Each structure stands twice: as structure tokens, then as C-alpha cells.
């Protein structure tokens, strides 16, 4: 049984691509055959985050419109078995995504992969609709910040009314909250919305909380999904989130203050 | 430096996260209301409020316009909550 999971948010810059790359990689590390698709036509970035930008020859759009076979466009990750990337076009625009074309590609991928991760573009335009239309599950990436939470709520509304499952009257798309850029210090100082606030407003179950962490930028500089950095807290949190996607019951990390020694505490040493 | 943060921590701070939560709660509720209905609902709500305010002073959140679309027909539900004292004043 294959699962199509959209990583979406409404708002831009909250960490969709980082999250899609990290979760997809984490699922593949757990032995699941996984493909990550970039739906952000014209602003392709997934390949860059995954570090395979120089290996792109054909893309998603070529498969839809130009008679290129899927296997010619899929890029197998060199570091992780079971992981492939389907890059998108940098030169075309969202109109190149036809409903039937996307459907055909998804159906073909379903035969080969267990997890199909759709990295959605920001906004609520065509590209975002296409990315969420086929979803069985949705990961709503949210920052603890007012505009992001509001946009996430909007996307949840769209998921429940415009997805294929909604149109066909099937079981609704299963939604998950992924709270990213969570800065526990600022939460404790009352400067940032806390997890419970966001949960109360959006009213969907939490898949993971990713701490604000310098390693995320570092990983993107290197073109390496952050879960491959064993020392990264964000990487650990993404691995936990992937495990929860697989149905495991794991306690949330980095949402409560760590116990610190007196010296650490006085100088507020942050890891 | 960080050490002095301790003094800030010991005080009750101005909690901007609380403000964010309150604003969001209201906003999201409004977004959800408007989400399924036609575009004129917010304007309708505003104008209704203005008309009612000619006669009774009520708060902005006391006029509630709800749109339900069914098969074949849709309903528009308008709820206006009047303060108690107005009714009492009229009765006497």
C-alpha cells in the first residue's frame, strides 16, 4: 500500500522543502521505498536541498508533457538506499502541471514506492492545489508565528474541501502538524507561541516539533538532508517525526526545558 | 549579559505570545466563518452592524452572520445579541 503525503503550509519560507527532504530521507533510512516530488515549478529547490542539482537531466514536467519516461527523470540518492527525487522544471511555470499528467505520474509512482512525498509550493495557487490534490495524508508545516498559523488554517480548509478525497467523498485527508523553528528559550520568555497554543488553534494532531537549530542552514549549505547529520537536534526531531508517521509512539523532544547545571543556567548556554 | 536575563525572568513580562494567541483565535474563527460563504458576507455583517447601531449600541462581535450552503438552497443566519439593559429600558 502506497501513501501520498503532501508537505504544505500556505505561507512561504516556513521549511516545507527542508521538511520534505528530511522526512523523505528519514523514511528511506527506515527502509521504506520513498520518492520526493518537487511541485514548485519554476522555483525548483528540492534538488538543491538534497544536493543532487547537478544530476538533473529530465524533470517532472518533461515526464508530463514531453514523453520522457519516469525512470529517466527519477534521481536515486547516492547516500541513502530506497530514496529517489523527482525534480521539477526551473524554466516552465505552474500551467505545465496538468491534472491528468500529475495523476498519471502519481499512479505510476504508487506502483513502485511506499511513500510519495509531495513538496508543495507556497501559496494557494495551482501548484499548491496540484501538490495536495492526490494526498492521503498532509503534513502542515507551521512556524510559531501568527501569519504562518493563519495560513496553515487556510490550507487545512482547502485540504478538507478541494482534495481528491474530499471531492470523491472518501475518508478525509489525514492531517499532521509539523511545528518548525521552535525556539524554546523564546517560548519560555513568552515571546513565541507555544506548541499548545498552536495545537489549540489548528486542532490537528502534532507529528513533530523541530527546534530552531543552526544545523538546518548548515545542512542546506551542504546539500544534505538534515537527518543525515547525527549531531543535529533538528535532524533527531525529524527522525522522530518520521517514526511517528510510521505509527510509532514516541515522546516529543525539545519542547520542555532541559535540566541544566548551575553554570550553564547562569550563562544560558544553548546547544 | 545572559546572566542579567535572570532579573528579567523573575519579573512578570509583557507576554506578546499571549497577544498572538488571542489575535489568532479570533482571526481564525472569522476566517473559518467566511471561508465557505460568498464574498459579500463581511460587508453585509459590517452594514448590518451599522444599521443596528443606529438604534442600539452593540459591540462589533455581537452580530454574527452565518452562511450554510445546502443542496438546492442556501441559508443565511443572522444572530444579533442585544445587551440586556436595552430590552429592560424599552419594557419600562
Amino acid at each position: 500500500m502506497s501513501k501520498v503525503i503532501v508537505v504544505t503550509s500556505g505561507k512561504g519560507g516556513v521549511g516545507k522543502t527542508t521538511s520534505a527532504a528530511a522526512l523523505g530521507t528519514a523514511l528511506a533510512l527506515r527502509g521504506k521505498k520513498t520518492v520526493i516530488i518537487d511541485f514548485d515549478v519554476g522555483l525548483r529547490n528540492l534538488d538543491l536541498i538534497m544536493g543532487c542539482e547537478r544530476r538533473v537531466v529530465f524533470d517532472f514536467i518533461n515526464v508530463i508533457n514531453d514523453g520522457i519516461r519516469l525512470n529517466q527523470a527519477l534521481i536515486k540518492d547516492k547516500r541513502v538506499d530506497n530514496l529517489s527525487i523527482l525534480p521539477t522544471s526551473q524554466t516552465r511555470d505552474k500551467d505545465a502541471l496538468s491534472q491528468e499528467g500529475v495523476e498519471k505520474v502519481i499512479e505510476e509512482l504508487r506502483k513502485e514506492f511506499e511513500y510519495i512525498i509531495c513538496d508543495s509550493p507556497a501559496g494557494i495557487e495551482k501548484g499548491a492545489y496540484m501538490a495536495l490534490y492526490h494526498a492521503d495524508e498532509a503534513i502542515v508545516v507551521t512556524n510559531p508565528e501568527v501569519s504562518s498559523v493563519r495560513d496553515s488554517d487556510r490550507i487545512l480548509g482547502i485540504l478538507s474541501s478541494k482534495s481528491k478525497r474530499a471531492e470523491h467523498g472518501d475518508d478525509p485527508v489525514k492531517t499532521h502538524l509539523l511545528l518548525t523553528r521552535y525556539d524554546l528559550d523564546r517560548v519560555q520568555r513568552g515571546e513565541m507561541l507555544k506548541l499548545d497554543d498552536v495545537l489549540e488553534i489548528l486542532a490537528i494532531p502534532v507529528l513533530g516539533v523541530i527546534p530552531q537549530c543552526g544545523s538546518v542552514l548548515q545542512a542546506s549549505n551542504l546539500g544534505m538532508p538534515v537527518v543525515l547529520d547525527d549531531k543535529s537536534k533538528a535532524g533527531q526531531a525529524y527522525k522522530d517525526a518520521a517514526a511517528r508517521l510510521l505509527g510509532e509512539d514516541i515522546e516529543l523532544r525539545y519542547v520542555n526545558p532541559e535540566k541544566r547545571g548551575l553554570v550553564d543556567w547562569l550563562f544560558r548556554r544553548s546547544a | 549579559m545572559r546572566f542579567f536575563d535572570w532579573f528579567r525572568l523573575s519579573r512578570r513580562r509583557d507576554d506578546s505570545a499571549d497577544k498572538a494567541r488571542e489575535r489568532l483565535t479570533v482571526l481564525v474563527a472569522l476566517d473559518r466563518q467566511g471561508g465557505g460563504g460568498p464574498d459579500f458576507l463581511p460587508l453585509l455583517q459590517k452594514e448590518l452592524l451599522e444599521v443596528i447601531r443606529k438604534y442600539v449600541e452593540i459591540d462589533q462581535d455581537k452580530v454574527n452572520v452565518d452562511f450554510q450552503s445546502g443542496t438546492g438552497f442556501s441559508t443565511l443566519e443572522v444572530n444579533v445579541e442585544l445587551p440586556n439593559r436595552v430590552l429592560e429600558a424599552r419594557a419600562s
Side-chain angles (χ1 to χ4, degrees):
Chain A
M1 235 330 250
S2 65
K3 264 188 193 159
V4 177
I5 302 178
V6 61
V7 178
T8 184
S9 69
K11 191 175 182 302
V14 296
K16 281 183 297 297
T17 302
T18 300
S19 298
L23 290 171
T25 305
L27 288 169
L29 286 171
R30 297 290 304 264
K32 302 291 173 191
K33 279 212 85 180
T34 305
V35 59
I36 316 174
I37 313 177
D38 191 346
F39 272 83
D40 203 349
V41 186
L43 294 167
R44 119 180 155 201
N45 279 321
L46 177 67
D47 51 334
L48 206 51
I49 296 298
M50 292 297 297
C52 61
E53 69 275 13
R54 307 211 24 203
R55 296 172 62 203
V56 178
V57 182
F58 297 116
D59 59 51
F60 189 19
I61 304 303
N62 294 139
V63 177
I64 292 176
N65 296 320
D66 308 325
I68 298 297
R69 278 182 294 111
L70 195 50
N71 278 336
Q72 292 175 276
L74 283 172
I75 300 174
K76 276 195 164 53
D77 192 273
K78 285 186 171 163
R79 299 153 297 201
V80 183
D81 288 342
N82 303 314
L83 181 61
S84 296
I85 291 102
L86 183 56
T88 193
S89 166
Q90 176 71 354
T91 50
R92 312 259 192 114
D93 63 25
K94 308 294 194 253
D95 291 332
L97 286 171
S98 69
Q99 177 88 22
E100 310 75 45
V102 173
E103 174 125 34
K104 231 179 111 195
V105 172
I106 298 270
E107 288 315 312
E108 210 176 325
L109 289 171
R110 272 187 191 273
K111 289 178 204 148
E112 204 181 325
F113 293 93
E114 291 167 275
Y115 285 88
I116 299 153
I117 311 287
C118 302
D119 180 22
S120 172
I124 49 173
E125 312 298 326
K126 189 177 179 189
Y129 275 103
M130 288 295 171
L132 68 79
Y133 187 71
H134 296 275
D136 299 310
E137 300 190 21
I139 295 170
V140 180
V141 182
T142 308
N143 288 168
E145 177 270 325
V146 285
S147 54
S148 174
V149 176
R150 183 194 198 182
D151 290 359
S152 292
D153 189 68
R154 182 95 164 87
I155 278 290
L156 285 169
I158 292 170
L159 280 162
S160 67
S161 61
K162 301 283 168 67
S163 62
K164 187 176 181 183
R165 280 176 173 268
E167 282 184 358
H168 290 220
D170 298 336
D171 289 341
V173 176
K174 192 172 169 191
T175 51
H176 310 271
L177 172 70
L178 187 67
L179 195 58
T180 55
R181 301 230 172 101
Y182 197 67
D183 186 333
L184 194 53
D185 280 339
R186 302 196 74 181
V187 169
Q188 285 183 287
R189 291 201 296 268
E191 294 171 8
M192 182 179 267
L193 287 164
K194 56 180 182 291
L195 171 65
D196 288 347
D197 295 339
V198 181
L199 283 176
E200 194 184 310
I201 292 161
L202 295 180
I204 57 171
V206 59
L207 181 73
V209 176
I210 312 299
Q212 171 76 41
C213 183
S215 59
V216 173
L217 179 60
Q218 212 177 349
S220 92
N221 288 342
L222 300 172
M224 178 184 85
V226 71
V227 289
L228 296 181
D229 177 356
D230 286 333
K231 293 194 199 79
S232 161
K233 284 185 175 183
Q236 291 301 319
Y238 275 119
K239 280 185 187 163
D240 287 355
R244 290 186 201 105
L245 260 185
L246 297 174
E248 290 172 27
D249 186 15
I250 298 175
E251 209 180 325
L252 286 170
R253 281 196 260 191
Y254 316 122
V255 291
N256 291 311
E258 291 168 42
K259 291 199 171 60
R260 288 171 168 160
L262 180 66
V263 177
D264 275 352
W265 181 73
L266 281 178
F267 294 96
R268 193 92 66 70
R269 277 191 196 159
S270 51
Chain B
M1 274 183 36
R2 294 288 192 176
F3 176 76
F4 294 103
D5 283 0
W6 187 81
F7 295 104
R8 284 203 300 136
L9 276 172
S10 60
R11 274 192 286 136
R12 183 83 196 109
R13 294 165 312 279
D14 181 35
D15 221 334
S16 67
D18 273 353
K19 296 264 175 8
R21 183 172 47 80
E22 283 164 26
R23 290 174 60 217
L24 263 173
T25 309
V26 173
L27 191 61
V28 164
L30 282 174
D31 282 350
R32 285 179 191 167
Q33 257 178 37
D39 291 348
F40 61 74
L41 282 189
L43 191 61
L44 176 68
Q45 184 160 0
K46 185 170 157 277
E47 287 188 20
L48 278 173
L49 185 72
E50 281 164 12
V51 171
I52 294 163
R53 272 186 176 167
K54 280 187 188 169
Y55 305 93
V56 187
E57 192 44 52
I58 56 169
D59 287 338
Q60 194 159 2
D61 57 352
K62 300 298 183 200
V63 173
N64 201 348
V65 177
D66 193 24
F67 183 85
Q68 302 270 352
S69 56
T71 43
F73 66 94
S74 300
T75 55
L76 184 70
E77 189 184 318
V78 181
N79 273 308
V80 184
E81 193 185 320
L82 296 177
N84 244 341
R85 56 183 188 283
V86 174
L87 298 175
E88 282 161 11
R90 290 280 156 102
S92 62

